[in-house]
């Protein structure tokens, strides 16, 4: 099979993070062409011309060049895949005219889509959705039988549990900023602070510097027990997952969440909200989830983990087993190939 991939690279993701890791697990012998934007003069100049002509003002000029390169490659590739659809919706009408085999992956929950953007999905014949909970909602714009549910994968050999003796019971982790419920976090934080052990805890936030101006966190940014981290290497990020006691990260909404997937694989017990695609990744079955805004219940669950290390460790083991069985990139890549073959008529 000759594959044509349009990929993105999230600036703060390392080598082992992100959906774009998928292509590293394709079978040997597959003819693969991957297109990514490059900030070179010619590409930006060409993209600028197209940007003015098409009036695509919300897209970077280097991305536009990559998109047109991807579209041109469709003519001599048997199957094409847009890994991150949300940033490339504007090219779907152009692709549909070519009548080529295409699939694109949806990442964001439907709450983050405007009706105008959702209407562009009608130009898409096949989609991969990274969680099952909102298939019916997206099915109003794409034929439900053409929506394929495949989970987000993880490198289980890199993201794995560390030495259990190095786990610090007072170390609480929070990763990322997008769709995180900082208001609910703060309510839980203050309730925990009033507990017997609350003042002994350290809170570590891994948030890129550019996204740290979060009003809800303003009261604690100068606390001696609150730390912010960014620009971490893969190994430094892994160490935080392996040495923390809990991931306390309530969400406003969620599709497939990178931090959740990484915590699952490293066996770091997750405390989050029952929302979006969380149940596709073991929420409610592998680890307990809490109704949004029920900060008292979330505090009670935190206390349960803190007071019962055996319970905490049993959840850690269940999460790791879930990752081994359902999130291994090798298995996820095979599922993608099954979809590709279905679309090109080889199944």
């Amino acid at each position: 099979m000759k594959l044509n991939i349009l990929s993105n690279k999230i600036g703060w993701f390392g080598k082992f993070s992100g959906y774009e890791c998928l292509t590293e697990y394709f079978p040997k012998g597959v003819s693969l062409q991957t297109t990514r934007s490059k900030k070179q003069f010619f590409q930006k100049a060409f993209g600028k011309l197209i940007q003015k002509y098409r009036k695509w003002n919300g897209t970077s000029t280097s991305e536009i060049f990559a998109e047109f390169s991807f579209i041109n490659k469709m003519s001599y590739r048997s199957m094409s895949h847009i890994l991150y659809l949300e940033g490339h919706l504007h090219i779907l009408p152009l692709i549909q005219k070519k009548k080529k085999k295409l699939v694109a992956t949806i990442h964001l929950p439907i709450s983050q889509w405007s009706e105008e953007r959702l209407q562009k999905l009608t130009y898409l014949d096949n989609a991969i959705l990274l969680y099952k909970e909102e298939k019916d909602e997206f099915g109003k714009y794409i034929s439900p039988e053409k929506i394929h549910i495949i989970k987000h994968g993880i490198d289980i050999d890199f993201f794995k549990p560390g030495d259990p003796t190095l786990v610090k019971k007072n170390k609480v982790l929070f990763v990322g900023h997008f769709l995180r419920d900082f208001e609910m976090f703060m309510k839980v934080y203050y309730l925990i602070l009033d507990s017997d052990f609350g003042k002994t805890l350290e809170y570590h936030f891994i948030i890129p510097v550019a996204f740290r101006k979060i009003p809800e966190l303003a009261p604690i940014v100068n606390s001696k027990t609150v730390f912010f981290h960014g620009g971490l290497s893969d190994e430094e990020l892994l160490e935080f997952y392996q040495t923390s006691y809990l991931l306390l990260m309530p969400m406003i909404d969620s599709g497939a969440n990178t931090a959740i997937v990484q915590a699952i694989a490293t066996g770091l017990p997750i405390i989050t909200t029952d929302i979006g695609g969380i149940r596709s990744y073991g929420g409610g079955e592998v680890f307990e989830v809490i109704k949004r805004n029920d900060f008292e219940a979330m505090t009670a669950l935190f206390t349960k983990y803190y007071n019962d290390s055996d319970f905490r460790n049993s959840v850690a083991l269940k999460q790791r087993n879930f990752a081994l069985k359902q999130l291994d990139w090798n298995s996820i890549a095979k599922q993608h190939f099954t979809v590709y073959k279905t679309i090109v008529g080889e199944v």
Side-chain angles (χ1 to χ4, degrees):
M1 182 177 291
K2 296 181 178 180
L3 285 176
N4 178 31
I5 302 290
L6 178 60
S7 183
N8 294 64
K9 181 62 182 175
I10 309 301
W12 52 88
F13 281 176
K15 177 182 177 182
F16 299 98
S17 300
Y19 184 66
E20 61 271 23
C21 294
L22 165 69
T23 59
E24 299 176 16
Y25 295 84
F26 286 159
K28 293 182 179 179
V30 170
S31 177
L32 176 66
Q33 287 196 344
T34 301
T35 303
R36 298 183 181 89
S37 67
K38 297 179 180 179
K39 295 182 179 180
Q40 298 176 348
F41 175 78
F42 172 77
Q43 295 189 359
K44 290 196 290 185
F46 177 87
K48 187 68 174 179
L49 293 174
I50 301 299
Q51 185 186 60
K52 287 185 175 180
Y53 177 72
R54 292 284 180 181
K55 298 181 179 179
W56 290 343
N57 297 325
T59 306
S60 73
T61 54
S62 55
E63 279 288 354
I64 291 172
F65 182 90
E67 290 169 344
F68 269 78
S69 177
F70 170 77
I71 291 172
N72 289 333
K73 291 173 185 175
M74 295 181 79
S75 299
Y76 54 91
R77 312 302 288 181
S78 54
M79 182 71 214
S80 297
H81 185 178
I82 301 174
L83 295 190
Y84 291 89
L85 174 60
E86 286 81 358
H88 304 288
L89 288 166
H90 53 276
I91 67 174
L92 292 182
L94 297 179
I95 292 175
Q96 192 187 60
K97 293 179 181 178
K98 290 181 172 288
K99 303 296 181 183
K100 300 297 182 181
K101 302 296 185 181
L102 172 72
V103 68
T105 300
I106 296 170
H107 294 253
L108 296 181
I110 205 162
S111 67
Q112 301 302 300
W113 293 70
S114 66
E115 183 60 29
E116 179 183 1
R117 287 167 60 79
L118 285 168
Q119 287 296 333
K120 288 185 170 64
L121 293 178
T122 60
Y123 293 102
L124 184 64
D125 290 331
N126 292 277
I128 291 172
L129 184 60
L130 298 174
Y131 60 106
K132 65 180 185 296
E133 283 78 6
E134 293 184 331
K135 180 178 180 180
D136 290 344
E137 285 83 350
F138 284 107
K140 297 174 184 177
Y141 304 92
I142 308 168
S143 298
E145 65 273 13
K146 296 297 182 67
I147 299 177
H148 311 273
I149 307 298
I150 305 179
K151 293 183 177 67
H152 194 302
I154 189 75
D155 187 328
I156 58 172
D157 294 319
F158 182 80
F159 285 103
K160 59 186 178 181
D163 183 345
T165 65
L166 299 180
V167 173
K168 299 177 181 178
K169 193 170 184 178
N170 70 328
K171 189 174 182 179
V172 182
L173 190 63
F174 189 115
V175 181
H177 66 283
F178 183 62
L179 294 180
R180 274 47 169 187
D181 194 339
F182 291 103
E183 181 179 354
M184 184 174 180
F185 171 85
M186 288 303 299
K187 290 178 180 179
V188 174
Y189 169 86
Y190 284 122
L191 284 179
I192 293 173
L193 194 62
D194 288 337
S195 67
D196 294 338
F197 56 84
K199 292 179 175 59
T200 67
L201 300 177
E202 290 183 354
Y203 294 86
H204 293 263
F205 292 85
I206 299 178
I207 303 175
V209 174
F211 301 102
R212 289 185 191 169
K213 292 183 179 180
I214 301 164
E216 293 86 350
L217 296 183
I220 62 172
V221 292
N222 294 319
S223 170
K224 294 181 179 179
T225 58
V226 174
F227 305 89
F228 289 85
H229 311 275
L232 302 177
S233 68
D234 293 305
E235 290 72 21
E236 288 170 333
L237 174 64
L238 176 63
E239 184 178 357
F240 273 102
Y241 281 114
Q242 291 178 333
T243 59
S244 297
Y245 191 74
L246 292 169
L247 179 74
L248 176 59
M249 196 179 74
M251 302 288 295
I252 294 171
D253 205 346
S254 178
N257 184 280
T258 302
I260 295 292
V261 172
Q262 291 173 344
I264 291 170
T266 52
L268 174 61
I270 298 162
I271 300 178
T272 192
T273 31
D274 185 7
I275 201 162
I278 294 296
R279 285 184 177 266
S280 285
Y281 292 84
E285 180 181 354
V286 177
F287 56 91
E288 295 183 32
V289 287
I290 302 298
K291 183 179 178 181
R292 191 175 175 214
N293 293 324
D294 193 349
F295 51 90
E296 291 181 342
M298 186 166 284
T299 305
L301 179 58
F302 186 100
T303 303
K304 180 179 178 180
Y305 276 115
Y306 188 86
N307 290 332
D308 190 344
S309 295
D310 289 339
F311 169 67
R312 183 263 180 203
N313 294 337
S314 69
V315 173
L317 181 59
K318 287 195 292 184
Q319 288 185 186
R320 177 60 180 173
N321 288 337
F322 182 88
L324 295 175
K325 294 176 181 177
Q326 298 199 38
L327 304 181
D328 180 1
W329 268 129
N330 291 290
S331 173
I332 297 297
K334 290 178 182 178
Q335 293 175 49
H336 279 75
F337 260 82
T338 298
V339 170
Y340 298 157
K341 291 177 180 178
T342 298
I343 293 171
V344 300
E346 294 182 8
V347 175

